[in-house]
Amino acid sequence: YISNEGRTVLYRNGELIGESEFGDGGSFEVPSEAAEYRIELDHTQSMFELTTQQRITWTFESAHVAAGDARLPLLVVRYTPELDERGRAPRGRDFCLPISVQQFGRSSAPRSSDPTLDVSYDDGATWQPARVERDGQNWKAWLEHPRRAEYVSLRASARDRHGNGVEHTVMRAYALGAQHGT
């Protein structure tokens, strides 16, 4: 059995505005007055080995804007690990995970606080904080891949200077394989 399921939920000032199941589009009518919003997106799939589940929560303030300017200030945490052709990193050693924070639909990076990153090597049963260091306009997280782990799951959060935030969990973000060079 192959599954591909998802759900989008929208809150305005903490009150549920609407929800839609995967494939329904997630279009919601909201009042034009300024408010605090939270969008929760959940997606699970069993077709592929990696990225089996994602949960993204965006928080931001918004109000009515002129037509054509309706770009939401949604932040995105991006990972650019050096993986092999099968999406694997070496197990049993330290690993550098490059991280960037971007704003959806914008070419320049937002001014954001240092992101936090938690890592799990047991499909989310336990999490541990990763050391994150600034690297120019981006960051590097330092992970210690265990010798016996099969997958790496990531849970990150970031905020920009306007208070917009993102929390992003990716189960089985990448796999672990043999040590490079062995």
Side-chain angles (χ1 to χ4, degrees), residues 129-158:
R131 182 171 51 104
V132 177
E133 298 175 351
R134 184 170 281 282
D135 182 30
Q137 290 189 1
N138 298 308
W139 294 267
K140 290 181 179 178
W142 298 97
L143 310 180
E144 296 176 26
H145 291 162
R147 289 189 185 281
R148 301 210 189 288
E150 296 293 323
Y151 300 98
V152 177
S153 297
L154 303 170
R155 182 174 63 190
S157 65

PDB file of all heavy atoms in Angstrom, residues 129-158:
ATOM      1  N   PRO A 129      19.906  18.615  20.280  1.00  0.00           N
ATOM      2  CA  PRO A 129      20.256  19.862  19.592  1.00  0.00           C
ATOM      3  C   PRO A 129      21.578  19.724  18.853  1.00  0.00           C
ATOM      4  O   PRO A 129      22.499  19.049  19.314  1.00  0.00           O
ATOM      5  CB  PRO A 129      20.365  20.885  20.715  1.00  0.00           C
ATOM      6  CG  PRO A 129      20.617  20.085  21.952  1.00  0.00           C
ATOM      7  CD  PRO A 129      19.985  18.747  21.735  1.00  0.00           C
ATOM      8  N   ALA A 130      21.660  20.353  17.699  1.00  0.00           N
ATOM      9  CA  ALA A 130      22.900  20.388  16.921  1.00  0.00           C
ATOM     10  C   ALA A 130      23.568  21.744  17.145  1.00  0.00           C
ATOM     11  O   ALA A 130      22.893  22.751  17.377  1.00  0.00           O
ATOM     12  CB  ALA A 130      22.603  20.192  15.443  1.00  0.00           C
ATOM     13  N   ARG A 131      24.870  21.761  17.055  1.00  0.00           N
ATOM     14  CA  ARG A 131      25.618  23.021  17.145  1.00  0.00           C
ATOM     15  C   ARG A 131      25.504  23.727  15.803  1.00  0.00           C
ATOM     16  O   ARG A 131      25.837  23.155  14.757  1.00  0.00           O
ATOM     17  CB  ARG A 131      27.077  22.739  17.490  1.00  0.00           C
ATOM     18  CG  ARG A 131      27.932  23.979  17.645  1.00  0.00           C
ATOM     19  CD  ARG A 131      29.304  23.634  18.191  1.00  0.00           C
ATOM     20  NE  ARG A 131      29.963  22.575  17.480  1.00  0.00           N
ATOM     21  CZ  ARG A 131      30.966  22.740  16.618  1.00  0.00           C
ATOM     22  NH1 ARG A 131      31.447  23.951  16.385  1.00  0.00           N
ATOM     23  NH2 ARG A 131      31.519  21.710  16.010  1.00  0.00           N
ATOM     24  N   VAL A 132      25.025  24.975  15.826  1.00  0.00           N
ATOM     25  CA  VAL A 132      24.838  25.762  14.606  1.00  0.00           C
ATOM     26  C   VAL A 132      25.726  26.994  14.692  1.00  0.00           C
ATOM     27  O   VAL A 132      25.697  27.711  15.690  1.00  0.00           O
ATOM     28  CB  VAL A 132      23.356  26.172  14.437  1.00  0.00           C
ATOM     29  CG1 VAL A 132      23.171  27.039  13.207  1.00  0.00           C
ATOM     30  CG2 VAL A 132      22.460  24.941  14.363  1.00  0.00           C
ATOM     31  N   GLU A 133      26.508  27.238  13.633  1.00  0.00           N
ATOM     32  CA  GLU A 133      27.414  28.400  13.586  1.00  0.00           C
ATOM     33  C   GLU A 133      27.132  29.208  12.331  1.00  0.00           C
ATOM     34  O   GLU A 133      26.860  28.642  11.270  1.00  0.00           O
ATOM     35  CB  GLU A 133      28.874  27.929  13.534  1.00  0.00           C
ATOM     36  CG  GLU A 133      29.323  27.152  14.730  1.00  0.00           C
ATOM     37  CD  GLU A 133      30.737  26.608  14.545  1.00  0.00           C
ATOM     38  OE1 GLU A 133      31.301  26.692  13.424  1.00  0.00           O
ATOM     39  OE2 GLU A 133      31.274  26.080  15.529  1.00  0.00           O
ATOM     40  N   ARG A 134      27.238  30.520  12.465  1.00  0.00           N
ATOM     41  CA  ARG A 134      27.053  31.401  11.310  1.00  0.00           C
ATOM     42  C   ARG A 134      28.213  31.208  10.344  1.00  0.00           C
ATOM     43  O   ARG A 134      29.350  31.017  10.734  1.00  0.00           O
ATOM     44  CB  ARG A 134      26.989  32.861  11.754  1.00  0.00           C
ATOM     45  CG  ARG A 134      26.699  33.809  10.575  1.00  0.00           C
ATOM     46  CD  ARG A 134      26.406  35.221  11.034  1.00  0.00           C
ATOM     47  NE  ARG A 134      25.057  35.390  11.536  1.00  0.00           N
ATOM     48  CZ  ARG A 134      23.969  35.507  10.772  1.00  0.00           C
ATOM     49  NH1 ARG A 134      24.075  35.415   9.467  1.00  0.00           N
ATOM     50  NH2 ARG A 134      22.795  35.691  11.293  1.00  0.00           N
ATOM     51  N   ASP A 135      27.871  31.244   9.037  1.00  0.00           N
ATOM     52  CA  ASP A 135      28.851  31.116   7.969  1.00  0.00           C
ATOM     53  C   ASP A 135      28.489  32.155   6.905  1.00  0.00           C
ATOM     54  O   ASP A 135      27.777  31.838   5.950  1.00  0.00           O
ATOM     55  CB  ASP A 135      28.807  29.688   7.396  1.00  0.00           C
ATOM     56  CG  ASP A 135      29.838  29.474   6.299  1.00  0.00           C
ATOM     57  OD1 ASP A 135      30.914  30.125   6.333  1.00  0.00           O
ATOM     58  OD2 ASP A 135      29.572  28.655   5.393  1.00  0.00           O
ATOM     59  N   GLY A 136      28.928  33.402   7.083  1.00  0.00           N
ATOM     60  CA  GLY A 136      28.535  34.492   6.191  1.00  0.00           C
ATOM     61  C   GLY A 136      27.067  34.805   6.390  1.00  0.00           C
ATOM     62  O   GLY A 136      26.636  35.076   7.512  1.00  0.00           O
ATOM     63  N   GLN A 137      26.255  34.734   5.329  1.00  0.00           N
ATOM     64  CA  GLN A 137      24.816  34.955   5.450  1.00  0.00           C
ATOM     65  C   GLN A 137      24.061  33.664   5.736  1.00  0.00           C
ATOM     66  O   GLN A 137      22.848  33.678   5.879  1.00  0.00           O
ATOM     67  CB  GLN A 137      24.266  35.593   4.177  1.00  0.00           C
ATOM     68  CG  GLN A 137      24.701  37.017   3.988  1.00  0.00           C
ATOM     69  CD  GLN A 137      23.953  37.664   2.830  1.00  0.00           C
ATOM     70  OE1 GLN A 137      23.106  37.074   2.184  1.00  0.00           O
ATOM     71  NE2 GLN A 137      24.279  38.916   2.587  1.00  0.00           N
ATOM     72  N   ASN A 138      24.779  32.546   5.832  1.00  0.00           N
ATOM     73  CA  ASN A 138      24.165  31.246   6.076  1.00  0.00           C
ATOM     74  C   ASN A 138      24.721  30.653   7.364  1.00  0.00           C
ATOM     75  O   ASN A 138      25.378  31.344   8.138  1.00  0.00           O
ATOM     76  CB  ASN A 138      24.405  30.330   4.876  1.00  0.00           C
ATOM     77  CG  ASN A 138      23.761  30.873   3.621  1.00  0.00           C
ATOM     78  OD1 ASN A 138      22.580  31.202   3.613  1.00  0.00           O
ATOM     79  ND2 ASN A 138      24.532  30.968   2.545  1.00  0.00           N
ATOM     80  N   TRP A 139      24.493  29.362   7.569  1.00  0.00           N
ATOM     81  CA  TRP A 139      24.939  28.679   8.769  1.00  0.00           C
ATOM     82  C   TRP A 139      25.441  27.292   8.425  1.00  0.00           C
ATOM     83  O   TRP A 139      25.153  26.760   7.350  1.00  0.00           O
ATOM     84  CB  TRP A 139      23.781  28.551   9.770  1.00  0.00           C
ATOM     85  CG  TRP A 139      23.326  29.864  10.283  1.00  0.00           C
ATOM     86  CD1 TRP A 139      23.749  30.498  11.426  1.00  0.00           C
ATOM     87  CD2 TRP A 139      22.366  30.743   9.697  1.00  0.00           C
ATOM     88  NE1 TRP A 139      23.109  31.704  11.554  1.00  0.00           N
ATOM     89  CE2 TRP A 139      22.258  31.885  10.514  1.00  0.00           C
ATOM     90  CE3 TRP A 139      21.589  30.690   8.542  1.00  0.00           C
ATOM     91  CZ2 TRP A 139      21.410  32.935  10.235  1.00  0.00           C
ATOM     92  CZ3 TRP A 139      20.739  31.745   8.246  1.00  0.00           C
ATOM     93  CH2 TRP A 139      20.654  32.844   9.097  1.00  0.00           C
ATOM     94  N   LYS A 140      26.178  26.724   9.361  1.00  0.00           N
ATOM     95  CA  LYS A 140      26.604  25.335   9.286  1.00  0.00           C
ATOM     96  C   LYS A 140      26.197  24.672  10.594  1.00  0.00           C
ATOM     97  O   LYS A 140      26.436  25.220  11.668  1.00  0.00           O
ATOM     98  CB  LYS A 140      28.126  25.230   9.128  1.00  0.00           C
ATOM     99  CG  LYS A 140      28.627  25.685   7.785  1.00  0.00           C
ATOM    100  CD  LYS A 140      30.126  25.517   7.700  1.00  0.00           C
ATOM    101  CE  LYS A 140      30.622  25.945   6.325  1.00  0.00           C
ATOM    102  NZ  LYS A 140      32.072  25.844   6.226  1.00  0.00           N
ATOM    103  N   ALA A 141      25.592  23.510  10.465  1.00  0.00           N
ATOM    104  CA  ALA A 141      25.276  22.700  11.642  1.00  0.00           C
ATOM    105  C   ALA A 141      26.256  21.545  11.679  1.00  0.00           C
ATOM    106  O   ALA A 141      26.613  20.985  10.632  1.00  0.00           O
ATOM    107  CB  ALA A 141      23.847  22.184  11.568  1.00  0.00           C
ATOM    108  N   TRP A 142      26.689  21.206  12.877  1.00  0.00           N
ATOM    109  CA  TRP A 142      27.656  20.128  13.040  1.00  0.00           C
ATOM    110  C   TRP A 142      26.946  18.950  13.691  1.00  0.00           C
ATOM    111  O   TRP A 142      26.460  19.046  14.806  1.00  0.00           O
ATOM    112  CB  TRP A 142      28.851  20.604  13.868  1.00  0.00           C
ATOM    113  CG  TRP A 142      29.554  21.713  13.169  1.00  0.00           C
ATOM    114  CD1 TRP A 142      29.405  23.058  13.363  1.00  0.00           C
ATOM    115  CD2 TRP A 142      30.479  21.574  12.099  1.00  0.00           C
ATOM    116  NE1 TRP A 142      30.192  23.753  12.479  1.00  0.00           N
ATOM    117  CE2 TRP A 142      30.863  22.880  11.691  1.00  0.00           C
ATOM    118  CE3 TRP A 142      31.039  20.479  11.432  1.00  0.00           C
ATOM    119  CZ2 TRP A 142      31.771  23.097  10.663  1.00  0.00           C
ATOM    120  CZ3 TRP A 142      31.940  20.703  10.408  1.00  0.00           C
ATOM    121  CH2 TRP A 142      32.301  22.003  10.040  1.00  0.00           C
ATOM    122  N   LEU A 143      26.888  17.837  12.956  1.00  0.00           N
ATOM    123  CA  LEU A 143      26.195  16.637  13.414  1.00  0.00           C
ATOM    124  C   LEU A 143      27.204  15.522  13.648  1.00  0.00           C
ATOM    125  O   LEU A 143      28.255  15.497  13.010  1.00  0.00           O
ATOM    126  CB  LEU A 143      25.175  16.183  12.366  1.00  0.00           C
ATOM    127  CG  LEU A 143      24.212  17.242  11.828  1.00  0.00           C
ATOM    128  CD1 LEU A 143      23.280  16.631  10.797  1.00  0.00           C
ATOM    129  CD2 LEU A 143      23.429  17.882  12.948  1.00  0.00           C
ATOM    130  N   GLU A 144      26.860  14.604  14.530  1.00  0.00           N
ATOM    131  CA  GLU A 144      27.694  13.425  14.781  1.00  0.00           C
ATOM    132  C   GLU A 144      26.880  12.201  14.374  1.00  0.00           C
ATOM    133  O   GLU A 144      26.067  11.706  15.145  1.00  0.00           O
ATOM    134  CB  GLU A 144      28.077  13.352  16.257  1.00  0.00           C
ATOM    135  CG  GLU A 144      28.928  14.513  16.711  1.00  0.00           C
ATOM    136  CD  GLU A 144      29.215  14.465  18.209  1.00  0.00           C
ATOM    137  OE1 GLU A 144      29.211  13.362  18.793  1.00  0.00           O
ATOM    138  OE2 GLU A 144      29.446  15.544  18.775  1.00  0.00           O
ATOM    139  N   HIS A 145      27.091  11.720  13.160  1.00  0.00           N
ATOM    140  CA  HIS A 145      26.337  10.581  12.655  1.00  0.00           C
ATOM    141  C   HIS A 145      26.775   9.310  13.372  1.00  0.00           C
ATOM    142  O   HIS A 145      27.946   8.923  13.290  1.00  0.00           O
ATOM    143  CB  HIS A 145      26.567  10.399  11.157  1.00  0.00           C
ATOM    144  CG  HIS A 145      25.957  11.477  10.325  1.00  0.00           C
ATOM    145  ND1 HIS A 145      26.346  11.711   9.033  1.00  0.00           N
ATOM    146  CD2 HIS A 145      24.977  12.374  10.585  1.00  0.00           C
ATOM    147  CE1 HIS A 145      25.628  12.707   8.520  1.00  0.00           C
ATOM    148  NE2 HIS A 145      24.806  13.131   9.452  1.00  0.00           N
ATOM    149  N   PRO A 146      25.850   8.624  14.036  1.00  0.00           N
ATOM    150  CA  PRO A 146      26.199   7.368  14.718  1.00  0.00           C
ATOM    151  C   PRO A 146      26.529   6.258  13.718  1.00  0.00           C
ATOM    152  O   PRO A 146      26.071   6.275  12.574  1.00  0.00           O
ATOM    153  CB  PRO A 146      24.922   7.011  15.482  1.00  0.00           C
ATOM    154  CG  PRO A 146      24.114   8.255  15.536  1.00  0.00           C
ATOM    155  CD  PRO A 146      24.477   9.036  14.317  1.00  0.00           C
ATOM    156  N   ARG A 147      27.288   5.291  14.159  1.00  0.00           N
ATOM    157  CA  ARG A 147      27.689   4.175  13.300  1.00  0.00           C
ATOM    158  C   ARG A 147      26.509   3.267  12.935  1.00  0.00           C
ATOM    159  O   ARG A 147      26.500   2.663  11.870  1.00  0.00           O
ATOM    160  CB  ARG A 147      28.758   3.322  13.988  1.00  0.00           C
ATOM    161  CG  ARG A 147      30.084   4.015  14.085  1.00  0.00           C
ATOM    162  CD  ARG A 147      31.156   3.022  14.565  1.00  0.00           C
ATOM    163  NE  ARG A 147      32.410   3.706  14.772  1.00  0.00           N
ATOM    164  CZ  ARG A 147      33.238   4.046  13.804  1.00  0.00           C
ATOM    165  NH1 ARG A 147      32.945   3.765  12.562  1.00  0.00           N
ATOM    166  NH2 ARG A 147      34.371   4.675  14.072  1.00  0.00           N
ATOM    167  N   ARG A 148      25.536   3.155  13.805  1.00  0.00           N
ATOM    168  CA  ARG A 148      24.460   2.191  13.578  1.00  0.00           C
ATOM    169  C   ARG A 148      23.159   2.823  13.078  1.00  0.00           C
ATOM    170  O   ARG A 148      22.205   2.102  12.797  1.00  0.00           O
ATOM    171  CB  ARG A 148      24.180   1.412  14.855  1.00  0.00           C
ATOM    172  CG  ARG A 148      25.404   0.656  15.356  1.00  0.00           C
ATOM    173  CD  ARG A 148      25.000  -0.587  16.096  1.00  0.00           C
ATOM    174  NE  ARG A 148      26.081  -1.257  16.767  1.00  0.00           N
ATOM    175  CZ  ARG A 148      27.052  -1.933  16.190  1.00  0.00           C
ATOM    176  NH1 ARG A 148      27.134  -1.974  14.896  1.00  0.00           N
ATOM    177  NH2 ARG A 148      27.967  -2.555  16.890  1.00  0.00           N
ATOM    178  N   ALA A 149      23.096   4.122  12.950  1.00  0.00           N
ATOM    179  CA  ALA A 149      21.863   4.773  12.493  1.00  0.00           C
ATOM    180  C   ALA A 149      21.668   4.576  10.994  1.00  0.00           C
ATOM    181  O   ALA A 149      22.632   4.414  10.240  1.00  0.00           O
ATOM    182  CB  ALA A 149      21.910   6.260  12.820  1.00  0.00           C
ATOM    183  N   GLU A 150      20.417   4.589  10.562  1.00  0.00           N
ATOM    184  CA  GLU A 150      20.080   4.420   9.149  1.00  0.00           C
ATOM    185  C   GLU A 150      19.667   5.734   8.486  1.00  0.00           C
ATOM    186  O   GLU A 150      19.897   5.923   7.296  1.00  0.00           O
ATOM    187  CB  GLU A 150      18.937   3.404   8.996  1.00  0.00           C
ATOM    188  CG  GLU A 150      19.303   2.007   9.453  1.00  0.00           C
ATOM    189  CD  GLU A 150      20.350   1.351   8.569  1.00  0.00           C
ATOM    190  OE1 GLU A 150      20.313   1.563   7.343  1.00  0.00           O
ATOM    191  OE2 GLU A 150      21.206   0.630   9.113  1.00  0.00           O
ATOM    192  N   TYR A 151      19.009   6.620   9.257  1.00  0.00           N
ATOM    193  CA  TYR A 151      18.462   7.859   8.697  1.00  0.00           C
ATOM    194  C   TYR A 151      18.707   9.032   9.628  1.00  0.00           C
ATOM    195  O   TYR A 151      18.908   8.856  10.828  1.00  0.00           O
ATOM    196  CB  TYR A 151      16.943   7.729   8.478  1.00  0.00           C
ATOM    197  CG  TYR A 151      16.581   6.630   7.531  1.00  0.00           C
ATOM    198  CD1 TYR A 151      16.173   5.389   8.002  1.00  0.00           C
ATOM    199  CD2 TYR A 151      16.655   6.827   6.155  1.00  0.00           C
ATOM    200  CE1 TYR A 151      15.841   4.367   7.123  1.00  0.00           C
ATOM    201  CE2 TYR A 151      16.334   5.807   5.270  1.00  0.00           C
ATOM    202  CZ  TYR A 151      15.923   4.586   5.773  1.00  0.00           C
ATOM    203  OH  TYR A 151      15.609   3.587   4.894  1.00  0.00           O
ATOM    204  N   VAL A 152      18.614  10.234   9.057  1.00  0.00           N
ATOM    205  CA  VAL A 152      18.740  11.474   9.812  1.00  0.00           C
ATOM    206  C   VAL A 152      17.450  12.263   9.607  1.00  0.00           C
ATOM    207  O   VAL A 152      17.043  12.530   8.478  1.00  0.00           O
ATOM    208  CB  VAL A 152      19.941  12.310   9.328  1.00  0.00           C
ATOM    209  CG1 VAL A 152      20.023  13.629  10.080  1.00  0.00           C
ATOM    210  CG2 VAL A 152      21.230  11.512   9.479  1.00  0.00           C
ATOM    211  N   SER A 153      16.803  12.613  10.713  1.00  0.00           N
ATOM    212  CA  SER A 153      15.616  13.476  10.681  1.00  0.00           C
ATOM    213  C   SER A 153      16.012  14.822  11.259  1.00  0.00           C
ATOM    214  O   SER A 153      16.830  14.892  12.191  1.00  0.00           O
ATOM    215  CB  SER A 153      14.476  12.863  11.489  1.00  0.00           C
ATOM    216  OG  SER A 153      14.068  11.635  10.919  1.00  0.00           O
ATOM    217  N   LEU A 154      15.439  15.895  10.703  1.00  0.00           N
ATOM    218  CA  LEU A 154      15.825  17.252  11.083  1.00  0.00           C
ATOM    219  C   LEU A 154      14.604  18.057  11.528  1.00  0.00           C
ATOM    220  O   LEU A 154      13.534  17.938  10.930  1.00  0.00           O
ATOM    221  CB  LEU A 154      16.497  17.958   9.903  1.00  0.00           C
ATOM    222  CG  LEU A 154      17.726  17.265   9.326  1.00  0.00           C
ATOM    223  CD1 LEU A 154      18.141  17.919   8.022  1.00  0.00           C
ATOM    224  CD2 LEU A 154      18.865  17.259  10.334  1.00  0.00           C
ATOM    225  N   ARG A 155      14.800  18.883  12.559  1.00  0.00           N
ATOM    226  CA  ARG A 155      13.747  19.775  13.053  1.00  0.00           C
ATOM    227  C   ARG A 155      14.384  21.143  13.288  1.00  0.00           C
ATOM    228  O   ARG A 155      15.216  21.301  14.175  1.00  0.00           O
ATOM    229  CB  ARG A 155      13.163  19.213  14.347  1.00  0.00           C
ATOM    230  CG  ARG A 155      12.041  20.016  14.933  1.00  0.00           C
ATOM    231  CD  ARG A 155      11.417  19.325  16.115  1.00  0.00           C
ATOM    232  NE  ARG A 155      12.354  19.165  17.217  1.00  0.00           N
ATOM    233  CZ  ARG A 155      12.123  18.422  18.291  1.00  0.00           C
ATOM    234  NH1 ARG A 155      11.014  17.732  18.401  1.00  0.00           N
ATOM    235  NH2 ARG A 155      13.020  18.352  19.255  1.00  0.00           N
ATOM    236  N   ALA A 156      13.994  22.114  12.454  1.00  0.00           N
ATOM    237  CA  ALA A 156      14.609  23.447  12.510  1.00  0.00           C
ATOM    238  C   ALA A 156      13.559  24.508  12.798  1.00  0.00           C
ATOM    239  O   ALA A 156      12.373  24.328  12.515  1.00  0.00           O
ATOM    240  CB  ALA A 156      15.291  23.762  11.182  1.00  0.00           C
ATOM    241  N   SER A 157      14.029  25.628  13.332  1.00  0.00           N
ATOM    242  CA  SER A 157      13.163  26.805  13.488  1.00  0.00           C
ATOM    243  C   SER A 157      14.002  28.046  13.238  1.00  0.00           C
ATOM    244  O   SER A 157      15.208  28.064  13.482  1.00  0.00           O
ATOM    245  CB  SER A 157      12.518  26.844  14.872  1.00  0.00           C
ATOM    246  OG  SER A 157      13.488  27.021  15.869  1.00  0.00           O
ATOM    247  N   ALA A 158      13.324  29.087  12.723  1.00  0.00           N
ATOM    248  CA  ALA A 158      13.989  30.365  12.449  1.00  0.00           C
ATOM    249  C   ALA A 158      12.953  31.478  12.522  1.00  0.00           C
ATOM    250  O   ALA A 158      11.756  31.245  12.317  1.00  0.00           O
ATOM    251  CB  ALA A 158      14.646  30.340  11.066  1.00  0.00           C
TER     252      ALA A 158
END
